[in-house]
Amino acid sequence: VALVVGGLLGRVTLLRERLRRRNEQFHTIAELAQEFTYFRRVDGRYEYVSPACLALTGCTSAEFYRTPNLMDRLIHPDERARWQRHVHAMNHNGRPEAIDVRIVTRSGEVRWISHLCGPVHDADGRQTGVRATNLDITERKNAEIALERRLQELGVLNEVRIALVQELSLSSFFHTVVE
């Protein structure tokens, strides 16, 4: 019996060490990443928030841990209804989903984020939370908006060009008929 217990204790010690190393690897990777990642329980409590949250939102990990559903408060007012539909669908349907949405940082700056999330299930298959990755895409979105504006301007200029060509054609036609 002592040999079996000793063997089991040795195995438990080995498994604990492996788990500790994997946790260290995970935290090292997550803490060095530029992406703001989190694990949020279905009730809104945050279980893990990467340090990159500070650079993206202006809020610390500790603030996320203290404030359930803090992301809801950071979402731009014009985006909140869409965000709430997304959160509801994720909490109830549990399908991975990606959306681009604006946030307002602690300092009041508006930023665009690409938010990708998916469900986390327990051993019985029940959804216990959501894992999410958020990436700052503000520069890309600003470039897209500027390009769209430029395309609209070019569209208007093209309409003016067409009108001028038609006007000149009519003028030329009438001038020829009068002669």
Side-chain angles (χ1 to χ4, degrees):
V1 173
L3 269 166
V4 171
V5 171
L8 289 175
L9 288 176
R11 179 84 175 136
V12 167
T13 302
L14 178 65
L15 291 174
R16 281 187 179 159
E17 179 59 22
R18 284 184 186 165
L19 180 60
R20 184 190 65 73
R21 280 188 298 210
R22 287 195 179 186
N23 280 337
E24 281 179 6
Q25 289 172 342
F26 167 77
H27 285 287
T28 299
I29 292 167
E31 291 178 11
L32 293 175
Q34 293 180 347
E35 298 87 5
F36 158 36
T37 59
Y38 63 78
F39 169 59
R40 178 187 51 78
R41 294 267 175 207
V42 173
D43 68 7
R45 289 177 299 118
Y46 295 92
E47 292 286 324
Y48 174 77
V49 179
S50 69
C53 65
L54 181 61
L56 185 59
T57 69
C59 299
T60 65
S61 297
E63 290 174 278
F64 276 89
Y65 295 131
R66 283 193 310 267
T67 313
N69 293 313
L70 180 55
M71 278 299 290
D72 295 355
R73 297 180 190 176
L74 295 173
I75 299 300
H76 190 281
D78 295 344
E79 306 272 1
R80 285 197 180 132
R82 189 165 66 96
W83 175 258
Q84 287 305 318
R85 286 190 301 274
H86 162 75
V87 170
H88 178 80
M90 181 51 55
N91 286 344
H92 293 89
N93 301 333
R95 285 189 218 107
E97 186 175 56
I99 63 170
D100 292 348
V101 65
R102 289 173 292 170
I103 63 168
V104 180
T105 68
R106 174 176 296 287
S107 67
E109 180 185 358
V110 175
R111 290 191 181 156
W112 280 94
I113 62 170
S114 177
H115 171 86
L116 172 64
C117 64
V120 175
H121 298 93
D122 65 14
D124 296 325
R126 290 182 301 247
Q127 184 175 343
T128 59
V130 174
R131 54 129 185 94
T133 300
N134 303 285
L135 184 62
D136 188 345
I137 59 167
T138 304
E139 286 183 27
R140 185 190 88 201
K141 279 293 194 177
N142 287 342
E144 288 173 3
I145 291 167
L147 179 61
E148 183 62 34
R149 283 188 190 135
R150 185 67 179 139
L151 289 172
Q152 287 174 353
E153 291 169 1
L154 290 172
V156 168
L157 288 174
N158 191 45
E159 289 175 20
V160 168
R161 181 191 64 80
I162 291 169
L164 284 173
V165 167
Q166 289 173 346
E167 180 68 28
L168 289 173
S169 294
L170 280 175
S171 176
S172 176
F173 172 75
F174 286 126
H175 183 64
T176 304
V177 169
V178 171
E179 290 179 350

